[in-house]
Amino acid sequence: MKKVIEGSHAVSEAVRLARVKVLSAYPITPQTHIVESLSEYCADGSMDARFMCVESEHSAMASVIGAASGGVRTFTASSSHGLALMHELLHWASGARLPIVMAEVNRALGPGWNLWMDQTDSLAQRDTGWIQLYCEDGQEVLDTTIQAYRLAEMVNLPVMVVLDAFFLSHTYEPVNVPDQEQVDRFLPSYVPRIQLDTANPCALNQMAPPPVYMEMRHSTQMAMEQVPRLFKQVEDEFFSIFGRAYGPVETVLCEDAEIVMILTGTAASTCRQVISDLRSKGEKVGLLKLKMFRPFPTELIRKILEPIQKVAVVDRNFSFGASGIFAQEIRAALCNYPEHPPVFGYITGLGGRDVTPEILEDIYWRTRNNATPKAESQWVGLDQEIVES
Amino acid sequence: MMQLNIPDRDYLNSGHVGCPGCGATIAMKLALRVLGEKTVVVIPACCWSIIAGNYPQSALKVPILHTAFATTAAAASGVRAALDMKGDTETTVVGWAGDGGTFDIGFQALSGAVERQEDFIYVCYDNEAYMNTGVQRSSSTPYGTRTTTTPGTEWKKTRKKNIVEALAAHRISYTATASIAFPDDMMRKFKKAMEMKGGPRFIHVFASCPTGWGVASELSIKIARLAVQTNMFPLYEVEDGVKYTLNYKGNRSIDEYLKMQSRFKHLTEEDIQTIQEMVNEDWQLLLRKIGP
Ligand SMILES: Cc1ncc(C[n+]2csc(CCOP(=O)(O)OP(=O)(O)O)c2C)c(N)n1
Ligand SMILES: [Mg+2]
């Protein structure tokens, strides 16, 4: 059924349809609409689940880890400072190989307090062993959340479904909300691989000394390496029921492109328009929308970018002392190719600043008019008056 | 002596790596005798995360969920929620943490879980310092103690936090102190806690640490007994945060207790007197709550 809903509600509709049993969360703007609606579903009985109103994000993640270890499907949601507070537990969730799904609304970190869109919060968690999937619109948020459970439970790894603060979390769009019966067909009930069971007592997450620790971490990586194949399988099955698929990356007009712009989230939507405008002026430009960040789709990206002349990566995030994080990853994916295109890195849209078509066009022309990048990252849209004051 | 009707089956395997005389290990052995096989134990970072054994072995015959240091009460809440959603209301979920994991880093999660009325038993085995990491002070370390972070003349000059009173202030349905030197009393309390399903229950177990306190391992029980007999660690229960019951009246001076342990050996007679006054004051405060 088509409904006009917020991105946040696309998450909660999906979580309800996934028949999650235990939810635990702590409110933080701009994630609150997700947990408020889920609280309502639990209260009105449209969800048969326990909602735990814990006293912090650290406890939110710890309690879903406890519940997932108890063998049920779980969910939490957070953002920014909340995600940072969870950091320790993110390692526990993946190390324990628990199929927890979390919605993460990209928001800037303080100080100064800033409630708005910025990807540094989720990207700072890149080494915690979570699958990360970035979404562009409400439909993709809903579909990805449902798919996330299927994928997580196939590989026994946690999944972070990432959406932009406000631009997506608080924007109303028409979203096709599927029937429960269809979702049940796609997502069978959860059968845990291992769980706390008094009939079969095991110790979970215990001390792992040097002779075994490395093998444990290696096995997590082996699972990560299964993800591209399994994600394809999940998407194919999803497509056969719902008629929609996204892919770990999406390319728009890349085949004959000389310059490819790489974006994530809602800014990719803006870029679709920019690409089409530039094409009508005869510019050979394409878009690569990156959805899957962990595991990083290295092979796929190499194949797409190898014949391209220049790559422009637009980062709404920054790693101080280095560069934009997506740009780093793209460079790393290409560096073992002798003939790879130069990677231009652009920083823009931090802390909720809009990434306008003008900014993206500016980025395109800067890339077009320079043979090589002037710097690892160029900041676009800075207010020079403030910078110099 | 009261008959407790507790089976003598043990759920602690031999071959665990607890130090000789470890009070925390004795406490677990006694507790599990009462709690039995329908128990899930949640253990944060602490000595017990070592005692329980390295992968792939386990010192317990019941399931264990090891969890991050601050998260005992939160993780236990989650396990409980999962069991409830699966229709298993029989299994007891037990959080089992040290004093550091309870009084300090895990206090927020504990307070939150108790306020939410989570249905579990939380046990704090109290050895009065961070023992696992090499005897650093915690907020449970008593006044007068030398630890590796309160060394020399900088021995601890602040009081031990009163965790039971903090829990009573949450109006928790049941909280009690217990000691490994009073096993009948301790097991009775575990039995009572186990039968009071439906909300949080908190048991504060005094668990001597011969290694960290500088006491011979064979004196572990004796030192725990002296703590009760001197009113350093009174045995009592509180129901609903208001109904106090005293289980033992001590009357010995703290002198002998302090002098048996090298963690206190620097104290002068004057310091000992100061501590005695603190103990007396706390004891009087407790008696007032107990009432006539
Ligand atoms: C977040 C975090 N900080 C610090 C540590 C290091 N650490 C492990 S156990 C421990 C002390 C535990 O003390 P307590 O809870 O009293 O238990 P005990 O070791 O005395 O049994 C510390 C500081 C940790 N594991 N995690
Ligand atoms: Mg301790």
Side-chain angles (χ1 to χ4, degrees):
Chain A
M1 191 177 50
K2 266 240 154 80
K3 287 188 184 175
V4 178
I5 53 174
E6 272 187 357
S8 296
H9 296 152
V11 174
S12 23
E13 289 282 4
V15 171
R16 172 162 61 179
L17 287 164
R19 298 188 186 278
V20 169
K21 287 292 169 227
V22 174
L23 307 92
S24 182
Y26 191 81
I28 181 167
T29 304
Q31 153 265 37
T32 44
H33 291 186
I34 299 173
V35 296
E36 286 167 1
S37 47
L38 286 166
S39 300
E40 262 172 46
Y41 300 161
C42 291
D44 69 19
S46 67
M47 246 185 115
D48 176 26
R50 165 94 196 275
F51 192 108
M52 305 175 67
C53 295
V54 288
E55 83 304 325
S56 74
E57 288 86 354
H58 199 267
S59 284
M61 187 49 71
S63 55
V64 292
I65 288 171
S69 307
V72 300
R73 196 171 276 160
T74 56
F75 175 77
T76 187
S78 196
S79 178
S80 181
H81 292 262
L83 186 69
L85 189 57
M86 274 183 191
H87 174 77
E88 179 189 27
L89 279 307
L90 297 184
H91 286 277
W92 280 77
S94 66
R97 302 291 303 278
L98 296 170
I100 295 165
V101 172
M102 161 159 61
E104 142 62 20
V105 188
N106 270 146
R107 166 188 155 180
L109 283 137
W113 288 114
N114 180 299
L115 312 169
W116 298 277
M117 168 61 190
D118 191 301
Q119 299 168 322
T120 312
D121 59 346
S122 57
L123 293 174
Q125 308 301 337
R126 66 179 172 181
D127 303 332
T128 56
W130 282 62
I131 295 167
Q132 289 197 6
L133 303 171
Y134 289 73
C135 299
E136 183 182 347
D137 60 26
Q139 189 67 58
E140 187 175 2
V141 166
L142 183 140
D143 294 345
T144 305
T145 307
I146 294 171
Q147 292 173 348
Y149 281 101
R150 194 67 210 290
L151 180 64
E153 290 165 15
M154 283 167 116
V155 284
N156 292 295
L157 284 174
V159 180
M160 205 182 279
V161 177
V162 188
L163 56 151
D164 297 15
F166 301 107
F167 296 126
L168 191 41
S169 65
H170 287 56
T171 300
Y172 280 83
E173 288 176 283
V175 171
N176 205 325
V177 180
D179 298 339
Q180 184 67 62
E181 176 271 323
Q182 281 181 306
V183 175
D184 288 347
R185 206 144 39 91
F186 171 75
L187 182 66
S189 52
Y190 174 44
V191 183
R193 181 185 55 118
I194 191 169
Q195 61 185 309
L196 295 163
D197 178 6
T198 54
N200 177 27
C202 297
L204 305 182
N205 312 337
Q206 65 195 131
M207 174 71 76
V212 293
Y213 183 88
M214 220 167 125
E215 283 69 16
M216 288 179 179
R217 288 303 172 268
H218 181 253
S219 82
T220 303
Q221 171 57 13
M222 298 310 282
M224 273 289 180
E225 286 174 15
Q226 298 299 313
V227 170
R229 183 177 58 80
L230 294 174
F231 184 67
K232 180 163 184 344
Q233 187 183 326
V234 167
E235 281 224 306
D236 288 349
E237 284 175 35
F238 191 89
F239 185 83
S240 73
I241 299 175
F242 303 98
R244 291 184 297 273
Y246 303 88
V249 303
E250 182 194 338
T251 53
V252 181
L253 303 173
C254 285
E255 291 70 29
D256 66 336
E258 288 169 3
I259 294 178
V260 164
M261 299 179 72
I262 301 186
L263 288 97
T264 41
T266 57
S269 284
T270 313
C271 201
R272 287 176 197 274
Q273 185 60 47
V274 171
I275 298 284
S276 114
D277 292 350
L278 287 167
R279 279 272 171 180
S280 65
K281 289 178 199 156
E283 296 301 317
K284 291 203 158 171
V285 57
L287 162 69
L288 191 159
K289 170 187 148 187
L290 198 60
K291 176 191 179 90
M292 184 182 284
F293 175 67
R294 280 293 180 269
F296 198 71
T298 302
E299 293 298 316
L300 208 54
I301 284 176
R302 277 183 182 176
K303 222 179 274 159
I304 297 163
L305 297 184
E306 203 192 359
I308 305 298
Q309 288 176 17
K310 292 175 192 171
V311 175
V313 184
V314 181
D315 272 299
R316 307 184 86 168
N317 63 78
F318 195 67
S319 173
F320 297 104
S323 69
I325 295 167
F326 285 106
Q328 287 178 10
E329 301 266 344
I330 299 286
R331 287 187 189 110
L334 295 178
C335 78
N336 282 344
Y337 267 84
E339 293 295 320
H340 64 76
V343 176
F344 292 66
Y346 299 95
I347 309 301
T348 193
L350 301 188
R353 193 164 302 185
D354 205 1
V355 178
T356 60
E358 293 70 39
I359 286 180
L360 294 180
E361 271 191 44
D362 180 24
I363 286 172
Y364 172 74
W365 290 115
R366 288 196 201 198
T367 312
R368 169 90 142 73
N369 297 337
N370 288 284
T372 51
K374 280 197 199 134
E376 283 286 282
S377 27
Q378 303 180 50
W379 293 59
V380 185
L382 287 177
D383 183 331
Q384 284 308 324
E385 226 172 87
I386 302 178
V387 170
E388 280 151 29
S389 68
Chain B
M1 197 186 77
M2 206 173 108
Q3 270 301 112
L4 284 175
N5 254 334
I6 284 158
D8 59 3
R9 177 147 183 229
D10 270 325
Y11 294 88
L12 172 70
N13 288 314
S14 56
H16 64 77
V17 295
C19 299
C22 169
T25 307
I26 297 166
M28 180 70 90
K29 182 183 165 104
L30 296 174
L32 284 181
R33 271 201 185 172
V34 180
L35 299 168
E37 70 179 353
K38 285 276 183 193
T39 303
V40 173
V41 185
V42 177
I43 302 180
C46 59
C47 283
W48 248 104
S49 53
I50 311 295
I51 302 167
N54 287 1
Y55 176 87
Q57 293 176 320
S58 179
L60 299 186
K61 293 175 188 152
V62 295
I64 305 176
L65 179 67
H66 289 268
T67 188
F69 196 14
T71 65
T72 314
S77 304
V79 173
R80 176 78 270 159
L83 295 178
D84 287 348
M85 288 310 297
K86 293 196 297 186
D88 175 0
T89 49
E90 188 192 354
T91 299
T92 308
V93 177
V94 177
W96 187 274
D99 48 291
T102 305
F103 289 58
D104 296 335
I105 199 166
F107 188 67
Q108 173 182 317
L110 172 61
S111 175
V114 172
E115 184 275 333
R116 292 193 306 272
Q117 288 292 306
E118 298 289 353
D119 178 7
F120 60 52
I121 300 176
Y122 189 110
V123 182
C124 170
Y125 70 91
D126 185 1
N127 51 26
E128 302 193 320
Y130 301 155
M131 294 311 182
N132 182 34
T133 39
V135 201
Q136 295 88 15
R137 64 93 89 185
S138 76
S139 64
S140 170
T141 303
Y143 179 96
T145 310
R146 248 186 207 161
T147 67
T148 54
T149 50
T150 51
T153 56
E154 297 304 311
W155 47 266
K156 191 165 179 277
K157 305 286 186 335
T158 59
R159 281 176 185 253
K160 179 185 174 90
K161 188 190 282 182
N162 191 328
I163 196 77
V164 170
E165 295 306 317
L167 268 295
H170 286 70
R171 292 299 197 100
I172 189 169
S173 55
Y174 184 67
T175 176
T177 63
S179 166
I180 53 162
F182 294 79
D184 292 339
D185 176 78
M186 175 165 148
M187 290 198 285
R188 176 183 65 76
K189 287 167 176 167
F190 271 93
K191 191 148 193 262
K192 185 167 176 177
M194 189 183 163
E195 285 162 1
M196 287 178 74
K197 282 183 184 299
R201 296 138 279 165
F202 182 87
I203 301 182
H204 181 197
V205 180
F206 191 81
S208 36
C209 174
T211 313
W213 295 1
V215 192
S217 56
E218 64 272 23
L219 296 179
S220 187
I221 300 290
K222 182 170 185 193
I223 202 80
R225 189 179 299 120
L226 273 172
V228 174
Q229 290 171 333
T230 56
N231 297 329
M232 283 289 284
F233 191 87
L235 293 181
Y236 68 108
E237 294 157 272
V238 191
E239 279 166 74
D240 302 320
V242 286
K243 190 169 164 271
Y244 282 69
T245 310
L246 188 65
N247 311 120
Y248 188 94
K249 271 192 173 156
N251 55 8
R252 296 170 73 145
S253 83
I254 57 160
D255 213 60
E256 185 186 359
Y257 174 76
L258 296 177
K259 286 179 177 163
M260 271 173 74
Q261 308 175 52
S262 63
R263 63 175 172 155
F264 297 121
K265 71 166 189 279
H266 53 279
L267 297 176
T268 62
E269 287 305 320
E270 204 187 333
D271 296 330
I272 291 174
Q273 193 46 41
T274 306
I275 296 172
Q276 181 69 64
E277 280 159 22
M278 287 177 173
V279 170
N280 293 348
E281 189 187 58
D282 286 347
W283 177 246
Q284 290 307 320
L285 212 64
L286 178 61
L287 289 182
R288 280 221 295 281
K289 288 178 182 159
I290 304 268

